[in-house]
Amino acid sequence: MNTAAGIKLKRLLKTLLLLSVLLGLMLAVQAGWFEHLTDSNWVANFIQRQGSGGLALLFAVGTLFTAVGGPRQIIAFVFGFALGGAVGALFSTFAALAGCLLSFYCARLTVREFLQKRFGIRLQRFERMIIHRTWLKVLMIRLLPVGSNLLTNLFAGATRVPVGGFLLGSFIGYLPQMLIFAYAGAGLGLSDQYQLGISLVLLLLSSFIGTYLYRNRLSRQVDDLVTDKQEL
């Protein structure tokens, strides 16, 4: 009886999670929030008018935007323009990480069986390659970057990949690009060549780190993983 009740509760929670995400997306689309989120001037004015409450709302919309595959670089640029380079980078990175976590758990709790049936062998290969030293392999994937960010999140959620290592690798891997685009947005907004210069230096540094990691002994495994993703 307890087991049956637990199964029913689990199904109910899965359904509620999926419905909540869909409802949030529907409301955001109807309100034009995704369109506003890519408008630097609108976001800056909105934050100035609404303060911390508006910032929290924009964080939620940014989370949904990246959870469904929206380019995280866009929100980094926009929030860099609105909040400044460092703050904008951190704000947009945490929004992207929350979106990553949302799509990860949507896959794990709602469509896991469908993904396992649909992608079968490819999903198994993905799991074998990423299950050990997860954070480092995810870091390499995020830094390259290749394939689909959304597919990476969904595939990880549909496997036994540990969420801690997945999030750590994603956070570290996201941060360089988010800093680059946030400082570019801040430099453009302030007509500040110094901040644009920081963005360029960060771009070169990120490329160097990605190349260094790629050339280590994990590169062949990541090549195989990338090939699978690009074939989807």
Side-chain angles (χ1 to χ4, degrees):
M1 187 67 180
N2 290 335
T3 302
I7 292 174
K8 288 182 180 180
L9 179 60
K10 187 175 180 180
R11 288 177 179 173
L12 177 62
L13 291 175
K14 289 180 180 180
T15 303
L16 288 175
L17 173 63
L18 186 58
L19 288 176
S20 298
V21 173
L22 292 175
L23 179 61
L25 288 172
M26 183 182 69
L27 292 174
V29 170
Q30 286 184 344
W33 278 97
F34 286 165
E35 181 180 347
H36 291 318
L37 193 65
T38 60
D39 184 337
S40 302
N41 288 306
W42 186 93
V43 169
N45 291 331
F46 183 80
I47 293 173
Q48 188 174 12
R49 292 195 311 269
Q50 302 296 328
S52 57
L55 202 58
L57 181 57
L58 289 172
F59 182 89
V61 176
T63 295
L64 286 173
F65 180 74
T66 54
V68 297
R72 63 185 182 275
Q73 295 88 347
I74 290 179
I75 64 170
F77 183 90
V78 169
F79 286 115
F81 182 95
L83 301 172
V87 176
L90 285 174
F91 186 87
S92 55
T93 299
F94 281 114
L97 197 66
C100 166
L101 187 64
L102 183 58
S103 53
F104 178 95
Y105 274 111
C106 276
R108 181 153 292 185
L109 298 177
T110 62
V111 293
R112 183 174 186 170
E113 292 182 2
F114 168 78
L115 290 172
Q116 289 174 343
K117 290 178 182 178
R118 171 66 178 82
F119 296 106
I121 295 175
R122 289 176 178 172
L123 197 58
Q124 292 172 17
R125 288 186 64 189
F126 178 90
E127 182 174 20
R128 285 197 302 270
M129 292 174 190
I130 208 172
I131 194 72
H132 301 294
R133 303 178 73 184
T134 299
W135 76 272
L136 182 58
K137 293 177 184 177
V138 172
L139 170 63
M140 292 176 65
I141 294 169
R142 300 305 195 192
L143 281 177
L144 290 178
V146 289
S148 165
N149 178 61
L150 177 59
L151 275 180
T152 299
N153 298 340
L154 293 176
F155 270 33
T159 64
R160 295 177 292 110
V161 169
V163 65
F166 183 72
L167 286 180
L168 177 61
S170 294
F171 176 76
I172 300 173
Y174 281 164
L175 198 54
Q177 271 203 353
M178 304 306 264
L179 284 165
I180 291 165
F181 282 89
Y183 271 101
L188 184 64
L190 299 173
S191 299
D192 188 342
Q193 293 184 348
Y194 174 72
Q195 296 208 54
L196 289 172
I198 291 176
S199 176
L200 179 59
V201 170
L202 288 169
L203 175 61
L204 295 174
L205 182 61
S206 174
S207 300
F208 172 79
I209 293 172
T211 301
Y212 173 79
L213 289 173
Y214 179 74
R215 285 180 176 176
N216 75 12
R217 61 192 180 89
L218 296 174
S219 60
R220 180 173 298 179
Q221 289 182 318
V222 174
D223 275 341
D224 292 340
L225 186 152
V226 168
T227 300
D228 272 357
K229 286 175 63 182
Q230 290 177 335
E231 290 174 356
L232 296 177

